[in-house]
Amino acid sequence: MIIAKDDLPTFLDGLLGTYQVFVPLADGGESRYVPLAPGGTFTWQGVNTRKPPKEILFPQSEVLYSYEVGGDRVELREHFDKTKRVVFGIRPCDARSFLHLDRVFLEQEHQDPYYRERRENAVMVGMACLEPASTCFCTSLGGGPFAADGLDLLFIDLGDRYLVRRVTPRGEALLREQPALFRPAGEADRLAAREAEEKAKSLMSPIPDLSGVKPWLDAGFGDPLWDRVYEKCIGCAVCTYLCPTCHCFDLTDEAEENQCVSGVRIRTWDTCAFPLFTLHASGHNPRPTGKERFRQRVMHKFRYFVENWGEAACVGCGRCIINCPVNLDIREVLREIMARAAGAGVSA
Amino acid sequence: MDAGPEPKIVGFLCNWCSYAAADLAGINRLQYPASVRIIRVPCSGRVSPLFLLTALRRGADAVLVSGCHPGDCHYTSGNLVARRRFAMLKSLLEFAGLDEGRVNFTWISASEAADFARVTTRIYQRAKDLGPYRGALRKESGVPRRE
Amino acid sequence: MSKQEELRATARRLLAENRVDLILGYTAGTLPLRTTPFFARTPAEADLLVWNAFCEYNLTNYLPRYTGNRVGIVVKGCDARSLVGLLQQNQVQRERLYVIGIPCAGVVDRRRVALLAGGAEITAADITGGEIVVRGRGFEKVLPMEEVLFPSCRRCRYGNPVLADVVLGEKVPERKETYEDLAALENMPAVEREAYFAREMAKCIRCYACREVCPMCFCKQCFVDGTAPQWLSRWVGTADNLFFHLGRTMHLVGRCVDCGACARACPVGVDLMAFNRKMIKDAEALFGYRAGLDPEAHLLLGTFDPNDPEPFLFRG
Amino acid sequence: MKNPYLPMPARIEQLVVETTDGNLKTFVLRFLRDEDRRVFDFVPGQFAEVGIFGKGEAAFGIASSPLETGRVAFTVNRVPGGVVTNALHNARVGDIVGVRGPLGNGFPLKAMEGHDIVVIGGGFAFTTLRSLVAYVLHPQNRGRFGRLQVVYGAREPGLLLYKEELEAWQKREDIELTLTVDRCSIADRWTGCVGVVPKIVEEIGPDAAHAYAVVCGPPVMIRFTLPVLDRLGFPPERVLLSLEMRMKCGIGTCGRCNIGHKYVCKDGPVFTLSDLNKLPAEY
């Protein structure tokens, strides 16, 4: 389908009656997905927002349930978020991350009902990348600047209009809510979209071949590589908190006024970068230093997740590269691994 | 007293002086505001900035730290070390936007029961004038708070 | 010989003569406007060291990890003052260090460059003379260096390292330090200031990059991580974030040297320096104290003077 | 669908101080709601998250046997500075706690049937082993397993758990129980063995031919026991270990308890030695 660019505000405004609409917004060099106000406008020129849209499905802090302990009973109240949402302007890499999150939260024996409620009530509308950034490497990880995985609709910017690809019935239904704004795409539109896609792909930086990473990691747990590669890591949570696929969390209780009578259990993001993440009450820590913790991050993304789900837990969005306080570049780490894989193999 | 919610004031009082002054105020039947909740500490030097932040974070409308007069510290210099800390802390909190009058420091010796009553009454009055603390340290949290 | 060549030669010599086990320095980064910390262990690796206005990291942060090694370390003016702080607090041993001081005219604030460049991706940046040239897809922009230096650098009084075993290159002229950066905030009504900080704190994601990158944050357990008592909620929101930053600021009183590493590390651009700057200003005004100048000096809050001022006192 | 994060309220029905140092207490719990009692259908070796409202929760192995219907027991070691274990130790009979579970895989009972079982435990890790032994000893089950040998050790006699039950076991014919301590004094009136667990196991020399060895204990005990089992001829496939990790969610989501690509909370806590040998030694 085709929608004129001038009609986009009308389209989004029209959704506001039913949905909370999230759009990417820049604010003084920072950026994230924020709710659109009625009649509000937004422009987005960057590639990826600083914070990924992950927080819409999996907020940094959320209440799971509240409790009240009475004399002989406990009252528990679950806090589900059933807000209907449309997230507009999602980049294909971030959209792909939803599939990874789905696996962790929905495709295991125990489903996560908090994630499920948000996920089922969110329509994901993507925006194809015309000009990928130099830090983008989605194509190395099964994605692409025009990929639609994880999306319900994909918008492609054709100058004065968007070509809208209908990816799922849910996305199609969203268009049908305001049929007057859309017309069928013509051959010229489709051709323009194909050309834009070819151009975007040609703008991607040289793609690191990652095929050898997993096999090397399988045998490389004890490799001396790990003794040096983490060395400049300061152990903060930037790479994990800004990663669209990182999903680790903590569960804690918040008692009201410090009494054990009523309060809430909250879930907050946590990270393998912090020593406390794995510290036992006894004082033993299976990942005692930055070396083990950095190895865990790489191993989890490129080996363990592949083992469990068939794909790496990385979508190549480049956020950890751009935002690392010390420029520890995951592409360099992968290149080093590939070099070792190609060379002498694993030195025990 | 006028209507409106009663302020909550947390007072961290040194065991050797101000706490005794509060005690003496009671013995002498000197009135001081019941809104002052006293926490006895071994020395004003024991009072960490985190104590005051926590009090404000968790419901206090004003805080008071009171220790021995400089030179009279039971541990020789605890209050002198604390004095620098308090100078910086009060400046920082007010720079962060906290109303003047919510964080208070003073020296009151064991015999100065009347001073204790007067100071706490003034702090109470100022806290009452300021109204409940609803500043940035009291914003959103995981706990659905009942007011 | 440029400072960079001098640096390489010095590092090469130190490693070749086995006077140090490693050199903490900088090497080329993978992104424009960036270098990256580098740990050179061989004379050959010494040739990968770089020195330029993108060397923004305070490498003294790594020193407590290498207490068992003889370390050569590259320090700028601010880093040297951090090193003094670490020495004051017995976190490093002077005799195991070889300090390579480099007079520094300031490091580039990459956020500011990005903002001035209009927000499009910068793919290359070069410094020539007093200017920085940035390029991206279809644009090129020339910016005066003085305008893109990090705020701490623009007011830095201590560009020349206060402590070093060798100083490379010419001294840089001393700048005049002012507290103009605080004026706007100080002149605001308290309620507006509170609103400003509330907005800043709301941005914080508590990744603790500020803490992890700070050489003075060497505590084995940070107050935010304790569970008994648990000072801080794990909830990330304005109030707990403010609690964290106020607690951290108090912990840095008399120790922060205004190197700005925290603000540069922050991924979401929280104004992290305002609190610290206020404390630096007060410490000087009230106690005549500057952090990081004298390894033998007591810390500001670790000592007292019987005649210290009492501006805070409530007399009822 | 059930919310896996929601605890099931249970009341502390009975409290037993197990050890002379007072640091180990057994909590016998009864669920407040009948439906929870039915949901809590477990096998020995599984664990649950037990929590005090307002303090948080922690993972504890289930110490009771599934056949002790209606109640479930946990033995909790008070850890200095541990918020949850201290809160539990301060709790009293009648207090309400939250329980999430059963979690984890438990011992592979089907595979173990028809085999001899050698249970090797040390210190306070004996909890899920107690569940296993009680399960095997139950008249419904005893015939389905072969010889049952148990070696259980502690630093000193006062630190052995479940003393009354141990006495009862010692009187039975269908279980060969060996108790040992690292050290004891005359006042202890100790009549069992003295010596560390691996040494006692070696002395007893259980027949590995048709046996499963189940090992739970402190890391140092495990480290020295495994070579003994190897010498006795136990293949790694028939050596079972139960692991401890810091856990939060208990359902393989929160990400902290992994060893390699396995999550101790959902793929474990029970692993065969051969499984573990394939995983990185990061625990």
Side-chain angles (χ1 to χ4, degrees):
Chain A
M1 303 293 274
I2 292 288
I3 179 173
K5 251 189 190 171
D6 293 341
D7 287 338
L8 183 63
T10 316
F11 173 62
L12 296 178
D13 222 40
L15 296 172
L16 284 174
T18 320
Y19 304 93
Q20 186 183 29
V21 178
F22 278 81
V23 294
L25 193 81
D27 175 18
E30 305 318 317
S31 47
R32 59 191 288 195
Y33 287 78
V34 294
L36 185 69
T41 55
F42 76 101
T43 53
W44 177 247
Q45 287 159 341
V47 180
N48 284 321
T49 47
R50 181 88 53 184
K51 288 176 92 177
K54 164 175 86 172
E55 60 183 341
I56 298 167
L57 298 178
F58 174 44
Q60 180 158 17
S61 314
E62 68 179 302
V63 173
L64 297 188
Y65 60 84
S66 49
Y67 64 85
E68 204 155 329
V69 184
D72 57 348
R73 63 192 176 80
V74 181
E75 221 163 275
L76 300 171
R77 198 162 56 85
E78 294 156 288
H79 290 238
F80 289 121
D81 178 358
K82 294 171 191 274
T83 314
K84 283 191 168 306
R85 297 191 172 95
V86 170
V87 188
F88 181 83
I90 303 166
R91 294 300 185 186
C93 52
D94 288 340
R96 192 176 177 79
S97 78
F98 300 146
L99 301 180
H100 294 323
L101 296 175
D102 285 351
R103 289 172 171 142
V104 173
F105 288 118
L106 301 180
E107 293 168 28
Q108 304 207 67
E109 186 192 342
H110 295 277
Q111 274 200 352
D112 186 303
Y114 300 93
Y115 178 87
R116 186 181 62 219
E117 291 296 338
R118 293 200 182 83
R119 181 75 165 108
E120 285 176 355
N121 283 300
V123 186
M124 301 301 185
V125 183
M127 179 66 72
C129 289
L130 298 186
E131 290 193 350
S134 65
T135 45
C136 292
F137 59 116
C138 57
T139 44
S140 301
L141 290 141
F146 277 55
D149 303 322
L151 291 171
D152 297 303
L153 291 170
L154 176 67
F155 276 52
I156 297 163
D157 188 337
L158 298 179
D160 59 345
R161 64 201 190 283
Y162 294 105
L163 181 123
V164 185
R165 283 193 184 142
R166 290 160 293 181
V167 187
T168 65
R170 185 152 65 160
E172 198 161 354
L174 194 74
L175 299 188
R176 275 202 302 271
E177 290 181 23
Q178 302 176 71
L181 297 174
F182 297 90
R183 65 170 172 81
E187 196 46 49
D189 300 318
R190 275 190 278 272
L191 186 66
R194 269 199 299 277
E195 276 169 8
E197 183 167 1
E198 286 315 309
K199 180 165 174 251
K201 281 186 177 157
S202 74
L203 290 172
M204 293 291 298
S205 305
I207 304 157
D209 164 31
L210 302 180
S211 57
V213 169
K214 166 78 166 60
W216 187 87
L217 290 175
D218 282 342
F221 190 85
D223 193 89
L225 167 89
W226 305 112
D227 297 333
R228 292 290 295 272
V229 75
Y230 84 96
E231 208 166 13
K232 61 188 164 188
C233 174
I234 56 170
C236 72
V238 168
C239 52
T240 49
Y241 282 4
L242 297 185
C243 174
T245 72
C246 275
H247 58 78
C248 292
F249 60 81
D250 196 359
L251 297 172
T252 46
D253 277 14
E254 292 274 299
E256 187 172 3
E257 302 301 329
N258 214 19
Q259 299 296 307
C260 293
V261 176
S262 64
V264 289
R265 172 151 299 169
I266 61 170
R267 164 154 79 184
T268 48
W269 290 352
D270 205 344
T271 169
C272 58
F274 291 160
L276 249 62
F277 189 60
T278 49
L279 181 70
H280 292 202
S282 66
H284 168 68
N285 195 340
R287 295 180 207 135
T289 74
K291 172 186 160 179
E292 292 84 15
R293 297 193 281 271
F294 186 77
R295 178 172 60 194
Q296 161 67 17
R297 175 162 172 266
V298 177
M299 283 279 181
H300 184 224
K301 293 209 168 299
F302 298 99
R303 177 182 166 200
Y304 306 153
F305 206 84
V306 183
E307 196 84 37
N308 288 328
W309 301 104
E311 276 188 295
C314 171
V315 292
C317 71
R319 284 189 183 85
C320 60
I321 302 166
I322 297 165
N323 296 299
C324 176
V326 292
N327 189 215
L328 206 179
D329 189 328
I330 189 72
R331 294 171 302 181
E332 291 292 295
V333 178
L334 294 172
R335 277 191 199 109
E336 205 162 321
I337 289 172
M338 284 304 296
R340 289 192 182 226
V346 180
S347 40
Chain B
M1 283 183 206
D2 10 335
E6 285 297 301
K8 279 186 207 145
I9 300 163
V10 179
F12 296 90
L13 307 187
C14 164
N15 174 56
W16 304 100
C17 53
S18 307
Y19 187 81
D23 210 14
L24 186 61
I27 292 167
N28 291 350
R29 304 252 186 262
L30 294 172
Q31 287 279 335
Y32 73 87
S35 307
V36 180
R37 272 77 153 176
I38 294 173
I39 296 175
R40 181 162 61 158
V41 291
C43 176
S44 54
R46 172 66 184 93
V47 178
S48 157
L50 300 179
F51 294 3
L52 306 192
L53 291 172
T54 300
L56 291 165
R57 171 86 181 93
R58 303 256 189 107
D61 301 304
V63 289
L64 163 69
V65 181
S66 184
C68 304
H69 287 278
D72 295 348
C73 179
H74 188 79
Y75 308 99
T76 314
S77 59
N79 58 352
L80 295 175
V81 173
R83 183 161 65 170
R84 287 191 161 190
R85 194 189 304 150
F86 296 153
M88 302 303 277
L89 178 60
K90 188 167 165 68
S91 168
L92 176 65
L93 292 181
E94 288 173 8
F95 180 66
L98 196 74
D99 313 291
E100 206 191 329
R102 295 213 190 264
V103 271
N104 304 279
F105 301 99
T106 188
W107 315 130
I108 295 173
S109 78
S111 62
E112 295 170 337
D115 287 351
F116 181 78
R118 183 173 47 83
V119 163
T120 48
T121 306
R122 277 291 294 134
I123 288 170
Y124 167 80
Q125 209 51 55
R126 284 207 294 179
K128 185 110 182 167
D129 293 345
L130 286 167
Y133 173 59
R134 301 214 190 283
L137 272 171
R138 201 66 72 71
K139 289 230 156 47
E140 59 179 300
S141 98
V143 189
R145 269 171 212 286
R146 284 178 299 201
E147 289 295 337
Chain C
M1 212 166 30
S2 73
K3 283 180 182 175
Q4 178 169 301
E5 284 162 32
E6 257 190 89
L7 168 62
R8 287 179 181 176
T10 308
R12 226 171 15 239
R13 185 167 43 77
L14 288 168
L15 288 165
E17 292 170 3
N18 192 26
R19 293 181 53 193
V20 296
D21 303 319
L22 74 160
I23 302 265
L24 288 184
Y26 308 91
T27 193
T30 65
L31 298 171
L33 304 164
R34 301 292 293 261
T35 57
T36 188
F38 184 60
F39 304 74
R41 287 185 165 85
T42 62
E45 283 177 339
D47 284 339
L48 298 172
L49 291 166
V50 301
W51 169 255
N52 55 43
F54 304 134
C55 294
E56 60 172 62
Y57 317 106
N58 186 338
L59 302 174
T60 62
N61 187 40
Y62 295 107
L63 282 177
R65 287 193 206 169
Y66 294 93
T67 45
N69 297 92
R70 295 164 305 153
V71 181
I73 182 166
V74 179
V75 297
K76 306 185 287 291
C78 50
D79 310 337
R81 291 177 62 212
S82 298
L83 185 53
V84 168
L86 291 171
L87 289 165
Q88 265 177 304
Q89 295 163 86
N90 296 316
Q91 296 302 308
V92 293
Q93 288 173 281
R94 181 68 182 91
E95 59 276 14
R96 285 176 184 268
L97 291 181
Y98 189 91
V99 183
I100 305 169
I102 304 192
C104 166
V107 296
V108 170
D109 180 351
R110 51 194 150 83
R111 271 164 206 284
R112 190 164 166 76
V113 174
L115 214 61
L116 292 173
E121 195 196 12
I122 294 166
T123 51
D126 295 299
I127 297 170
T128 45
E131 287 171 337
I132 180 166
V133 185
V134 293
R135 286 179 214 91
R137 218 163 260 153
F139 76 91
E140 179 176 304
K141 196 145 185 155
V142 183
L143 299 162
M145 274 297 274
E146 204 56 30
E147 249 180 60
V148 298
L149 292 183
F150 194 74
S152 293
C153 304
R154 276 183 269 165
R155 56 176 180 247
C156 176
R157 207 196 295 179
Y158 303 97
N160 300 302
V162 293
L163 176 149
D165 292 305
V166 61
V167 176
L168 307 181
E170 294 292 305
K171 282 195 169 188
V172 295
E174 220 169 79
R175 290 172 199 262
K176 194 170 139 33
E177 176 162 16
T178 71
Y179 291 100
E180 271 166 31
D181 51 308
L182 288 175
L185 280 169
E186 284 176 331
N187 293 333
M188 271 181 203
V191 58
E192 277 177 38
R193 225 166 30 229
E194 179 167 62
Y196 170 78
F197 285 117
R199 274 197 306 278
E200 289 301 305
M201 294 303 136
K203 290 192 226 165
C204 172
I205 57 171
R206 293 244 293 276
C207 64
Y208 299 128
C210 47
R211 176 186 77 182
E212 299 300 333
V213 85
C214 177
M216 293 301 120
C217 275
F218 50 70
C219 290
K220 290 276 178 279
Q221 193 190 52
C222 180
F223 73 94
V224 307
D225 290 331
T227 51
Q230 188 181 331
W231 294 110
L232 211 63
S233 166
R234 300 278 181 266
W235 189 271
V236 174
T238 307
D240 285 291
N241 296 353
L242 179 62
F243 189 107
F244 161 56
H245 289 289
L246 288 174
R248 193 174 109 83
T249 304
M250 277 312 293
H251 210 167
L252 289 172
V253 167
R255 308 193 307 137
C256 171
V257 299
D258 196 9
C259 74
C262 53
R264 288 190 288 270
C266 179
V268 289
V270 178
D271 178 359
L272 290 173
M273 286 313 295
F275 288 157
N276 290 327
R277 286 285 293 163
K278 175 66 178 167
M279 293 293 92
I280 289 168
K281 181 185 173 190
D282 282 4
E284 186 156 40
L286 291 173
F287 309 106
Y289 188 91
R290 301 281 310 179
L293 296 181
D294 176 7
E296 302 301 322
H298 284 292
L299 290 174
L300 174 69
L301 296 189
T303 187
F304 63 90
D305 182 321
N307 301 313
D308 276 338
E310 300 183 332
F312 57 85
L313 213 59
F314 178 65
R315 294 176 204 278
Chain D
M1 196 187 226
K2 194 172 156 268
N3 180 349
Y5 297 102
L6 221 51
M8 301 180 281
R11 179 182 308 286
I12 302 177
E13 204 171 64
Q14 197 191 339
L15 248 169
V16 184
V17 179
E18 294 284 356
T19 54
T20 46
D21 65 1
N23 279 337
L24 282 137
K25 279 189 188 172
T26 295
F27 298 83
V28 181
L29 308 179
R30 183 174 286 275
F31 289 110
L32 295 187
R33 298 180 303 219
D34 283 340
E35 67 261 34
D36 293 342
R37 212 165 301 167
R38 282 191 297 276
V39 168
F40 204 87
D41 178 19
F42 67 96
V43 295
Q46 284 193 288
F47 69 98
E49 291 277 346
V50 182
I52 293 268
F53 291 99
K55 296 290 183 186
E57 54 184 24
F60 300 102
I62 303 169
S64 52
S65 153
L67 296 156
E68 301 167 55
T69 48
R71 33 172 260 162
V72 53
F74 298 90
T75 301
V76 176
N77 179 31
R78 195 179 65 82
V79 188
V83 175
V84 176
T85 58
N86 277 287
L88 278 169
H89 269 248
N90 292 336
R92 285 171 298 197
V93 170
D95 286 359
I96 295 176
V97 298
V99 179
R100 288 196 297 124
L103 301 166
N105 57 357
F107 295 114
L109 297 173
K110 273 275 158 289
M112 292 161 78
E113 274 183 21
H115 289 80
D116 296 344
I117 294 174
V118 182
V119 170
I120 302 164
F124 56 81
F126 197 67
T127 57
T128 53
L129 295 181
R130 189 242 159 222
S131 173
L132 176 67
V133 173
Y135 176 87
V136 173
L137 285 178
H138 195 277
Q140 271 178 32
N141 299 327
R142 189 62 192 94
R144 291 191 276 138
F145 297 89
R147 261 178 96 177
L148 175 61
Q149 285 169 289
V150 178
V151 178
Y152 176 33
R155 281 202 309 279
E156 46 196 82
L159 297 181
L160 288 165
L161 302 175
Y162 318 125
K163 290 188 191 67
E164 282 181 22
E165 206 155 15
L166 294 178
E167 269 175 42
W169 291 351
Q170 266 170 332
K171 294 183 186 125
R172 292 178 69 132
E173 297 285 311
D174 54 355
I175 167 172
E176 297 156 59
L177 175 65
T178 309
L179 298 176
T180 181
V181 294
D182 295 359
R183 55 171 184 268
C184 60
S185 65
I186 302 224
D188 289 327
R189 295 168 180 273
W190 179 247
T191 54
C193 304
V194 177
V196 294
V197 168
K199 193 178 126 249
I200 303 296
V201 173
E202 185 140 45
E203 280 173 20
I204 293 172
D207 182 5
H210 302 287
Y212 268 89
V214 188
V215 188
C216 277
V220 61
M221 183 202 97
I222 293 175
R223 189 160 69 244
F224 286 99
T225 301
L226 293 180
V228 171
L229 293 175
D230 185 48
R231 280 198 292 278
L232 290 170
F234 282 87
E237 295 74 30
R238 283 195 271 115
V239 175
L240 299 167
L241 296 146
S242 182
L243 299 188
E244 272 199 340
M245 271 286 184
R246 184 176 180 142
M247 294 176 190
K248 289 283 181 176
C249 72
I251 54 173
T253 308
C254 79
R256 57 168 58 49
C257 71
N258 72 300
I259 300 172
H261 67 289
K262 297 281 188 194
Y263 289 89
V264 173
C265 71
K266 100 181 145 75
D267 302 310
V270 179
F271 293 91
T272 66
L273 183 58
S274 67
D275 285 340
L276 276 184
N277 287 342
K278 289 178 212 135
L279 297 174
E282 195 175 50
Y283 43 88

